[in-house]
Amino acid sequence: MAIINNRLTKEQYEKNFSDIHPPFETQDAALVEANRCLFCYDAPCMKSCPTSIDVPKFIKQISTGNIKGSAHTIFSSNILGASCSKVCPVEKLCEGACVYNLMDEEAIPIAKLQRYSTEIAMKNNWQLFKRKDAPLGDGGRKKVAIIGAGPAGLSCAHTLSKEGVDVTIYEKESKGGGLMTYGIAAYKVTPQFCEDEVNYITAIGGIEIKYHQKLGVNVSLEELQENYDAVYLAIGVGLARQLEIPGEDLNGVEDAIKFIYNLRNIEYSTVAVGDKVAVIGMGMTAIDAATQAKRLGAKEVTMLYRRTEHEKPCTQVELDIAMLDGCNIIWLAAPKEILGQDGKVNAIVCSKMQLEQLDASGRRSPVDTGETFTLEVDMVIKAAGQMPFESLVKNYSIDNKSGKVVINKNCETNIPGVFAGGDAVNGGKEVVDAVQAGKDGAKGILEFLSRKDG
Amino acid sequence: MADISANFLGIKSPNPFWLASAPPTDKKINVLRAFEAGWGGVVWKTLGSQVKNVSSRYSAVNFGGHKIMGFNNIELISDRPLDINLKEISECIKLFPDRAMVVSLMADNDRNSWHELIMKVEDTGAHGLELNFGCPHGMTERGMGAAVGQDPQIAAMVVEWVMEKTTIPVITKLTPNVHSPVPTGIACVKAGTNALSLINTIQSVTGIDLDTLVPNPYVAGKSVFGGYCGPAVKPIALKMLTTISQDPVTSKVPISGIGGVSTWRDAVEFMLLGASNVQVCTAAMKHGFRIVEDMCEGLNNWMDDKGYATIYDFIGKSVEKITHWEDLDINYHHIAKINQDKCIHCGLCYIACEDTSHQSINLNYGKPYNTYTIKEEECVGCNLCQLMCPVTDCITMEEHRVAPDYINWKMWQEEGKPLNDH
Ligand SMILES: Cc1cc2nc3c(=O)[nH]c(=O)nc-3n(C[C@H](O)[C@H](O)[C@H](O)COP(=O)(O)OP(=O)(O)OC[C@H]3O[C@@H](n4cnc5c(N)ncnc54)[C@H](O)[C@@H]3O)c2cc1C
Ligand SMILES: Cc1cc2nc3c(=O)[nH]c(=O)nc-3n(C[C@H](O)[C@H](O)[C@H](O)COP(=O)(O)O)c2cc1C
Ligand code: SF4
Ligand code: SF4
Ligand code: SF4
């Protein structure tokens, strides 16, 4: 058993990491589905999209041949509509609510149609929004600093720029997109696509991204407060939660976020993976780590989760991807200890759990049965939730709940003029939630700026 | 098994489905294929004076993702040499003696031309003639086709010429490009035609290419009005058919129903409104001759279900059900009812009623699904919501008579009853 790279041929890597949800090949194919849409009123799909995209409208616009209008409808609610069409867990969002489900018929492939319009718009570089002119009189344009060029930061920046505000984004990495670029599974979006999208969004003008600028290292909050009219924190969350069990420091124990970051950043063939891999957790990150470990050529991948299938945080569609990839799943298994030899992982010991009776909150929590089992593995990937940037937040005395930034209804933190949103606030949800957070943040900031003037 | 065979003016066919005079019937190879597929008869593509066709010829109207809701052509009558047509007609008759062979005619506008043409066609052994008084393009400019059908006097004159000569039954095909087909129909029946058929195509512009700005179909950058047909014209054809079925003169002769027939259901509707058989063109052009299989089977099963032994047991049964507006019963009232178990919460009924009808549907907000209920006291029973609803039998219209007795509009006024108060 060993952790090695270059397990597959070039063709195999390509096949394993190609687009998991291929787009419509032709306009006719898109029209078949667009024409099925009933054009619902106060549509359930729209209400189930966190950014409230007017789904019936944009689909109708595809069917009338008004693709530009369709893209405009999508982007006005969600400037990352192109990414969202590839990464949204639509089975629990828009498509999950499509009325066709109530007829036991296939839901309209909303995301695929969304991808159709937005890709055409991006390919043709249709610039569908115009910035408001600089206000007359003193001061000129307002200036806002945003920390983090992930979905929340980009969405906030675009909304502010449209309203005539000048935005500077400070980003610690060398590319924009946040976890879109560095986290989400490669078979959903490619780094190239993320880069194109960042360029498409910033082409509106008035948005400057400064890369390799880390808040707390290269730039301080005080400086930003000094030089800008407002600050928006869109820093997301950091590495995977520690397991706090013996053996966690052995060679071969990896953080899912780091594992995926490598995968996104370097050639697939240079990413090493074990023969037998255990993945801890059952969220989106865990699924992505497990499937991609398998797709890198791991012989055996086993996902361990301490509750049952019923409580799983991922959606059924995601679980199906992992199962179809041949990942094993062991429910009611909590890691107890990682064993090793010569400093390298060779097994993981798990407690067998069982679910308690429903507690007052209606949830069943897992309890240790005292029994254990041991699984021979050479790699353990931790994906049991991510940790907020607690120390950074605390250093600046920003109100928080174990690192998650606390904001009021205007998205403002306890520090006046400092706003926040996205994963940094919600602790880690979906891209589409971060986009909405960015819009909400921009709204709060615009109100704050006009109050400041008034 | 019901008997679906038909006898139209003594012309027998194993089923009441004929192919209308058009490209599907313009040569031996098509007609033999049609007979092999099971069509009961054909009306051979119109023969007459020499013409030349253009390229292109057809265009269509698509709707809601479906192709060819309506079809349009600028073709003329047969452009093949007459003697070839005649030879092929007699060959087809010999190969399929049990099928109806009617030949459509449109001679030059003089008695001799008609007489000559009729003699030649009768020599083929054809079972009947159809006079094309309907073609709306190309031929009208020469005083033929619709130009004849639009003028009852001219039509009657041509029918008289034909009746002087012919020894086989004559069907006169009426044009819909008139306010009413009845005056021409009456004139032709009085002049002796044995039967009527309708409708021919309706003059139309089907659409414009938004890049070239040229309407379609186009010929070297120009277009002309074409003849419209297919599913889109069925309701118009049914209305015209009804007026012919209800008129005391025209209802005396058999009618062949044409215009948008695509399925056995369409055919039954035409027959219920008085057609003794139907003719089909566009549906065959769209799908090929094989559609006749389901037309026969569907008709047969429906007749068995309803207990009709022959087609003559139901032909014309709906004619008397179309009355005058003044005779409708004002005390009849029905109200929409939503079956909440079937509702999929699409909101289409609500927005239709709220924006464009009588604001008679309640919306109770839900995330993501709203609930919709009918305000019974507001509903006027217009059917709009039921027509919108994508779920079968989810909205039903329930009878709630205002009063038990029949009262029509005239009686209502005479009794000085109140008008709506909102
Ligand atoms: C493995 C994985 C898979 C996922 N899969 C999906 C999926 O399929 N679909 C989906 O919708 N969501 C998915 N998500 C969640 C999604 O990626 C996030 O919800 C979303 O990216 C959050 O956006 P954000 O802008 O709040 O934060 P981020 O995307 O995390 O962006 C934060 C940005 O801030 C920068 N930053 C952080 N700290 C600093 C600092 N101190 N100074 C300067 N810059 C800083 C970061 O480099 C980053 O660019 C996944 C997440 C993970 C980890
Ligand atoms: C391409 C084309 C050519 C036609 N040519 C003739 C014709 O020569 N003579 C005629 O009487 N009707 C002609 N028609 C009219 C059809 O016979 C028929 O009356 C009409 O199409 C309505 O029937 P449908 O809706 O089933 O197509 C033609 C129709 C089409 C589409
Ligand atoms: S953004 Fe996501 S949830 Fe919203 S409509 Fe598009 S695919 Fe669905
Ligand atoms: S719920 Fe489904 S059918 Fe209705 S508008 Fe949305 S996508 Fe279309
Ligand atoms: S149209 Fe039919 S399915 Fe849709 S909300 Fe109304 S009753 Fe329900």
Side-chain angles (χ1 to χ4, degrees):
Chain A
M1 293 208 302
I3 302 183
I4 51 170
N5 61 23
N6 206 19
R7 285 172 179 267
L8 308 173
T9 65
K10 190 162 170 285
E11 291 72 35
Q12 282 172 315
Y13 280 118
E14 249 164 44
K15 179 164 170 278
N16 288 354
F17 289 93
S18 66
D19 208 327
I20 191 163
H21 303 299
F24 286 114
E25 293 277 347
T26 62
Q27 184 188 12
D28 286 334
L31 282 176
V32 169
E33 293 298 342
N35 282 318
R36 273 178 70 223
C37 172
L38 296 171
F39 198 51
C40 295
Y41 174 72
D42 196 22
C45 51
M46 174 173 173
K47 285 196 223 167
S48 303
C49 168
T51 58
S52 307
I53 291 179
D54 191 336
V55 174
K57 180 174 172 189
F58 95 71
I59 294 182
K60 184 83 164 173
Q61 288 173 309
I62 293 178
S63 68
T64 69
N66 180 7
I67 307 299
K68 199 175 265 179
S70 174
H72 182 264
T73 301
I74 296 163
F75 288 137
S76 349
S77 291
N78 181 337
I79 194 62
L80 276 91
S83 277
C84 281
S85 74
K86 297 167 179 226
V87 307
C88 274
V90 287
E91 58 280 8
K92 65 176 185 191
L93 301 172
C94 55
E95 291 179 22
C98 174
V99 298
Y100 273 108
N101 293 297
L102 303 175
M103 283 198 216
D104 288 323
E105 277 299 311
E106 281 293 311
I108 301 295
I110 299 170
K112 202 169 170 182
L113 289 163
Q114 183 171 316
R115 176 169 177 179
Y116 180 74
S117 295
T118 52
E119 278 192 351
I120 294 175
M122 279 176 62
K123 206 168 106 208
N124 293 295
N125 196 21
W126 286 336
Q127 286 300 321
L128 303 170
F129 302 95
K130 217 178 149 285
R131 296 190 74 194
K132 274 196 188 149
D133 292 334
L136 294 174
D138 57 336
R141 293 189 190 272
K142 297 281 181 199
K143 294 190 323 184
V144 171
I146 294 178
I147 319 301
L154 289 169
S155 158
C156 182
H158 191 265
T159 312
L160 289 173
S161 170
K162 264 198 300 198
E163 293 301 321
V165 175
D166 278 338
V167 178
T168 309
I169 305 183
Y170 292 82
E171 168 57 56
K172 69 175 165 53
E173 300 289 336
S174 61
K175 287 182 193 155
L179 283 177
M180 287 285 311
T181 302
Y182 295 107
I184 289 174
Y187 47 70
K188 291 184 186 164
V189 277
T190 61
Q192 183 59 49
F193 177 83
C194 296
E195 195 174 323
D196 293 347
E197 187 174 48
V198 170
N199 292 337
Y200 182 67
I201 294 171
T202 53
I204 187 174
I207 304 174
E208 187 197 355
I209 308 184
K210 291 182 191 272
Y211 291 106
H212 306 293
Q213 296 294 313
K214 187 168 181 180
L215 177 69
V217 176
N218 313 90
V219 58
S220 73
L221 189 58
E222 292 76 20
E223 256 177 277
L224 296 174
Q225 285 176 288
E226 184 77 16
N227 295 332
Y228 294 89
D229 297 300
V231 178
Y232 184 67
L233 299 176
I235 53 178
V237 284
L239 294 177
R241 203 173 294 287
Q242 289 293 99
L243 299 172
E244 323 269 357
I245 56 173
E248 204 168 349
D249 49 357
L250 284 167
N251 237 327
V253 180
E254 271 228 50
D255 177 315
I257 302 298
K258 250 195 206 147
F259 173 67
I260 295 169
Y261 180 97
N262 283 339
L263 196 83
R264 301 303 309 257
N265 236 0
I266 53 181
E267 277 287 298
Y268 297 126
S269 60
T270 59
V271 182
V273 69
D275 276 334
K276 295 187 170 189
V277 180
V279 176
I280 314 229
M282 197 52 73
M284 186 101 84
T285 309
I287 298 274
D288 282 2
T291 53
Q292 293 183 105
K294 192 82 191 168
R295 285 163 192 240
L296 283 173
K299 297 207 175 85
E300 216 177 279
V301 173
T302 307
M303 300 187 69
L304 302 169
Y305 182 53
R306 57 196 190 110
R307 299 169 189 262
T308 71
E309 178 159 8
H310 190 250
E311 290 82 24
K312 66 179 185 299
C314 67
T315 66
Q316 187 61 43
V317 171
E318 288 156 4
L319 182 62
D320 289 348
I321 297 176
M323 306 227 281
L324 284 173
D325 276 1
C327 300
N328 306 323
I329 291 162
I330 303 182
W331 306 105
L332 292 168
K336 190 171 159 55
E337 183 177 2
I338 303 171
L339 306 176
Q341 206 175 9
D342 308 329
K344 288 188 193 159
V345 175
N346 67 5
I348 182 166
V349 182
C350 297
S351 304
K352 287 193 188 170
M353 311 298 275
Q354 74 182 26
L355 286 189
E356 266 186 344
Q357 295 302 330
L358 292 184
D359 63 17
S361 69
R363 239 170 98 91
R364 301 160 124 233
S365 49
V367 286
D368 198 336
T369 60
E371 278 179 69
T372 63
F373 67 91
T374 304
L375 209 63
E376 233 182 71
V377 293
D378 55 2
M379 186 175 188
V380 175
I381 301 180
K382 301 183 287 184
Q386 279 169 264
M387 288 184 304
F389 293 111
E390 202 167 342
S391 60
L392 180 76
V393 171
K394 287 191 172 151
N395 276 349
Y396 288 121
S397 313
I398 299 172
D399 266 3
N400 65 86
K401 273 194 204 130
S402 24
K404 288 194 274 180
V405 177
V406 173
I407 55 173
N408 65 18
K409 65 177 193 330
N410 297 324
C411 307
E412 198 169 7
T413 65
N414 57 314
I415 305 176
V418 177
F419 295 74
D423 277 5
V425 168
N426 65 34
K429 279 183 160 180
E430 320 296 344
V431 171
V432 65
D433 298 293
V435 173
Q436 184 57 34
K439 283 159 64 186
D440 295 341
K443 187 159 167 264
I445 291 170
L446 289 167
E447 272 170 25
F448 170 79
L449 295 179
S450 63
R451 252 188 288 134
K452 227 168 129 181
D453 277 352
Chain B
M1 279 271 272
D3 174 8
I4 63 167
S5 68
N7 181 337
F8 192 91
L9 298 171
I11 306 170
K12 294 194 176 129
S13 57
N15 59 56
F17 308 125
W18 292 3
L19 285 165
S21 171
T25 63
D26 77 345
K27 45 183 155 14
K28 181 178 166 188
I29 179 170
N30 310 5
V31 169
L32 291 185
R33 286 177 64 80
F35 285 161
E36 276 157 20
W39 286 86
V42 299
V43 181
W44 196 274
K45 171 78 181 172
T46 307
L47 307 180
S49 50
Q50 274 300 258
V51 298
K52 182 97 186 75
N53 272 306
V54 291
S55 168
S56 58
R57 303 175 188 182
Y58 307 151
S59 62
V61 174
N62 303 331
F63 185 74
H66 286 277
K67 294 269 180 172
I68 311 197
M69 174 188 77
F71 188 59
N72 176 65
N73 82 90
I74 57 169
E75 242 172 47
L76 306 180
I77 61 175
S78 176
D79 56 7
R80 306 171 74 220
L82 181 62
D83 48 332
I84 298 183
N85 275 306
L86 296 172
K87 183 170 155 282
E88 291 188 359
I89 289 170
S90 58
E91 287 166 4
C92 291
I93 294 170
K94 284 199 189 83
L95 287 165
F96 283 90
D98 65 328
R99 309 304 167 88
M101 173 63 76
V102 173
V103 179
S104 171
L105 303 180
M106 186 196 292
D108 286 336
N109 237 350
D110 63 85
R111 184 192 223 129
N112 268 349
S113 304
W114 278 97
H115 284 184
E116 265 174 47
L117 189 58
I118 289 166
M119 285 197 310
K120 286 182 185 163
V121 171
E122 284 198 3
D123 284 344
T124 64
H127 307 123
L129 305 176
E130 186 179 77
L131 313 184
N132 179 351
F133 290 176
C135 183
H137 45 258
M139 309 309 293
T140 42
E141 290 85 335
R142 314 182 196 185
M144 295 153 78
V148 177
Q150 282 161 347
D151 186 328
Q153 267 180 318
I154 302 179
M157 180 181 74
V158 176
V159 172
E160 277 165 16
W161 293 340
V162 170
M163 300 317 292
E164 287 164 12
K165 194 75 198 171
T166 181
T167 63
I168 53 178
V170 172
I171 307 165
T172 301
K173 184 167 177 177
L174 300 176
T175 176
N177 297 299
V178 284
H179 165 64
S180 162
V182 175
T184 303
I186 292 175
C188 293
V189 171
K190 287 187 171 159
T193 190
N194 304 112
L196 296 170
S197 62
L198 79 170
I199 59 174
N200 209 306
T201 54
I202 304 175
Q203 278 207 308
S204 70
V205 176
T206 44
I208 300 178
D209 182 318
L210 295 188
D211 294 321
T212 63
L213 309 189
V214 179
N216 44 50
Y218 53 87
V219 178
K222 297 275 189 203
S223 189
V224 293
F225 297 151
Y228 198 46
C229 52
V233 310
K234 188 185 98 175
I236 300 164
L238 286 175
K239 184 264 176 179
M240 292 194 160
L241 168 65
T242 306
T243 60
I244 293 288
S245 298
Q246 289 184 333
D247 180 85
V249 176
T250 50
S251 61
K252 293 220 166 59
V253 298
I255 310 164
S256 183
I258 320 170
V261 177
S262 311
T263 66
W264 65 269
R265 285 179 173 275
D266 300 328
V268 168
E269 288 168 6
F270 274 82
M271 292 163 90
L272 287 169
L273 286 174
S276 297
N277 73 4
V278 294
Q279 299 182 30
V280 176
C281 169
T282 304
M285 290 184 76
K286 185 172 179 204
H287 304 290
F289 296 135
R290 61 203 163 125
I291 57 167
V292 76
E293 293 166 21
D294 181 60
M295 294 180 83
C296 290
E297 288 167 27
L299 173 63
N300 219 310
N301 290 336
W302 177 79
M303 284 171 63
D304 282 349
D305 281 355
K306 302 292 171 194
Y308 296 124
T310 76
I311 58 173
Y312 302 99
D313 294 343
F314 68 88
I315 285 173
K317 278 211 185 272
S318 298
V319 175
E320 53 117 17
K321 302 217 189 287
I322 296 185
T323 179
H324 298 285
W325 198 94
E326 308 83 83
D327 295 329
L328 295 174
D329 182 357
I330 286 184
N331 274 341
Y332 177 81
H333 189 61
H334 68 196
I335 295 175
K337 186 174 169 197
I338 297 177
N339 180 338
Q340 295 298 338
D341 293 336
K342 291 193 170 174
C343 176
I344 59 167
H345 315 285
C346 66
L348 295 180
C349 55
Y350 170 82
I351 197 57
C353 188
E354 191 68 13
D355 277 358
T356 69
S357 196
H358 291 80
Q359 297 76 43
S360 314
I361 302 182
N362 287 308
L363 182 162
N364 296 304
Y365 183 84
K367 194 165 183 222
Y369 301 118
N370 301 340
T371 315
Y372 299 99
T373 47
I374 304 291
K375 300 179 202 165
E376 293 201 356
E377 59 301 347
E378 300 291 331
C379 174
V380 300
C382 71
N383 294 347
L384 183 66
C385 58
Q386 190 204 28
L387 297 172
M388 297 305 125
C389 182
V391 183
T392 309
D393 294 339
C394 173
I395 299 184
T396 47
M397 305 306 295
E398 309 276 311
E399 187 170 327
H400 292 256
R401 285 192 71 89
V402 179
D405 45 323
Y406 166 87
I407 183 166
N408 66 32
W409 167 240
K410 275 193 213 118
M411 297 154 74
W412 187 277
Q413 271 183 315
E414 278 159 15
E415 289 178 26
K417 288 187 171 267
L419 299 178
N420 290 353
D421 54 6
H422 64 276

